[in-house]
Amino acid sequence: MKKDFIAISDHSPEELQDILNLAVSLKKEWKLGGNAPILKDKVLAMIFQKPSLRTRVSFDMAMRHLGGDALYLSPAEIGLGKRESIADVARVLSGYVEVIMARVFEHEHILELAKWADIPVINGLSDYNHPCQGMADTLTILEEFGTMKDVNVTFIGDGNNVAVSMLFSCAKLGANFTIASPGGYDLPENVLADARKFAEKSGSKINTLRDVHEAVNEADVLYTDTWTSMGQEEEAQIREKVFQTYQVNASLVAEANKHAIVMHCLPAHRGQEITDEVADGPHSRLFPQAHNRMHAQKAILVHVLGDQKG
Ligand code: CP
Ligand code: NVA
């Protein structure tokens, strides 16, 4: 059966750990001079319904480093579900390339692509989650603390796609996850219910709070994301008011553990969810985290393509 990568919740802790171990070894290999061309002759189609810097460039470079190639398909070119049905796009691409990565508005659209494609489909962000980001974030935390077990991860802000993937990774791998979000912007109940089931097995503790000060107490990782995600632009003004006190600034960081690191999936809205002082300060891991997108995705690509040797 083909392997997709649609949500962290779909994968066992062992499988996630295998992908992360592979990311570590591919990163090491690349740093020592370059990767072996284990994806030679493989082509990735990258479908984007929204803008991207990190996802687009890191997937493209990941394929090139592994000896393969990538095709960028912009919203204007594909018209996914508009010019042509998703089922038809999936079946056509299955005859041309070996793997698809798609960034879509509605999560249903990724599921539809995966249903109809004969080749692996990777979720490059949907309204529901951002699993490639979650894997890069986990790699970043592992590099810092050596383990996910008992690491206190605190997310400040919207219970959005990025928060969902971080939560699932923590719940699967044994990190404690706390979120402070304003009323009406909570993580979805079904996500929390699933995460609590995973947490029972891993020993992770999950907390949902309103108060940022309570949430950062004893935090090892402070994570934040934009107050207004792509597709929510018309809510930006109201969100700016609602999230005003959900800012990761120097005084909030000072309330966390001394060694705490600050993470953000980027793009950052400096002066809103994070200040310049924190984003560019000693606790920040924003850029190593962004760079880890490429290393984590190499491992995801190799995983879904069946670890084929060139
Ligand atoms: N973090 C992230 O997915 O960035 P892009 O939107 O630039 O791809
Ligand atoms: N939550 C953000 C993440 C961007 C990488 C969005 O969906 O726009």
Side-chain angles (χ1 to χ4, degrees):
M1 219 175 79
K2 76 175 173 110
K3 292 183 191 165
D4 298 312
F5 197 78
I6 307 284
I8 285 183
S9 53
D10 296 337
H11 301 273
S12 67
E14 295 71 28
E15 204 173 7
L16 295 172
Q17 195 56 61
D18 284 350
I19 297 172
L20 289 160
N21 292 344
L22 184 57
V24 169
S25 67
L26 289 169
K27 179 170 179 177
K28 202 164 151 196
E29 183 186 59
W30 180 69
K31 291 219 161 194
L32 286 172
N35 291 125
I38 54 175
L39 297 185
K40 189 169 173 285
D41 298 330
K42 307 289 176 206
V43 177
L44 168 73
M46 306 191 292
I47 301 175
F48 282 93
Q49 290 190 315
K50 303 177 188 177
S52 170
L53 169 65
R54 278 144 293 270
T55 305
R56 176 180 175 177
V57 179
S58 59
F59 263 108
D60 196 334
M61 294 314 297
M63 285 305 289
R64 293 189 203 193
H65 290 170
L66 295 172
D69 211 340
L71 282 177
Y72 170 69
L73 301 165
S74 74
E77 278 158 310
I78 284 260
L80 193 68
K82 292 191 178 100
R83 180 171 182 266
E84 197 163 358
S85 77
I86 294 173
D88 287 357
V89 170
R91 285 176 291 183
V92 169
L93 284 176
S94 296
Y96 295 153
V97 299
E98 283 69 38
V99 50
I100 298 171
M101 183 278 293
R103 165 167 287 193
V104 298
F105 284 100
E106 290 171 47
H107 189 65
E108 277 302 312
H109 292 175
I110 275 280
L111 298 175
E112 181 82 355
L113 259 180
K115 177 179 160 192
W116 289 98
D118 298 329
I119 57 177
V121 171
I122 299 172
N123 180 1
L125 178 141
S126 66
D127 57 353
Y128 167 55
N129 69 355
H130 197 1
C132 297
Q133 182 72 53
M135 293 301 278
D137 298 342
T138 307
L139 179 60
T140 309
I141 296 171
L142 287 173
E143 285 175 344
E144 195 72 33
F145 298 103
T147 177
M148 286 291 276
K149 281 262 176 263
D150 300 324
V151 174
N152 294 326
V153 177
T154 291
F155 192 99
I156 303 289
D158 195 12
N160 65 10
N161 43 12
V162 169
V164 167
S165 291
M166 192 73 261
L167 166 65
F168 280 143
S169 176
C170 291
K172 289 266 181 178
L173 298 175
N176 302 318
F177 182 90
T178 299
I179 186 166
S181 50
Y185 298 87
D186 300 308
L187 282 160
E189 269 310 319
N190 61 322
V191 165
L192 283 167
D194 284 348
R196 290 199 168 105
K197 276 186 227 143
F198 304 143
E200 266 173 35
K201 288 196 186 145
S202 70
S204 148
K205 293 186 203 83
I206 297 168
N207 277 308
T208 57
L209 302 171
R210 297 269 174 256
D211 186 61
V212 291
H213 304 287
E214 196 183 336
V216 300
N217 185 35
E218 297 196 15
D220 300 310
V221 176
L222 280 184
Y223 199 130
T224 191
D225 183 16
T226 182
W227 294 337
T228 304
S229 285
M230 291 179 275
Q232 300 171 334
E233 289 76 10
E234 73 283 4
E235 298 171 27
Q237 264 188 323
I238 179 148
R239 282 172 171 268
E240 264 177 49
K241 282 199 194 106
V242 172
F243 283 94
Q244 214 41 246
T245 55
Y246 290 79
Q247 182 187 64
V248 176
N249 52 38
S251 72
L252 195 67
V253 174
E255 294 177 39
N257 280 335
K258 258 207 178 85
H259 60 252
I261 61 166
V262 173
M263 297 176 65
H264 190 311
C265 58
L266 302 177
H269 303 79
R270 289 162 174 258
Q272 293 196 4
E273 75 274 4
I274 194 164
T275 58
D276 282 333
E277 190 183 3
V278 170
D280 301 326
H283 297 273
S284 171
R285 295 295 180 275
L286 270 52
F287 298 104
Q289 179 189 0
H291 299 156
N292 275 339
R293 291 293 302 278
M294 181 173 78
H295 306 298
Q297 284 156 200
K298 282 181 184 173
I300 293 167
L301 286 161
V302 172
H303 171 77
V304 298
L305 286 167
D307 206 4
Q308 297 163 71
K309 305 283 172 229

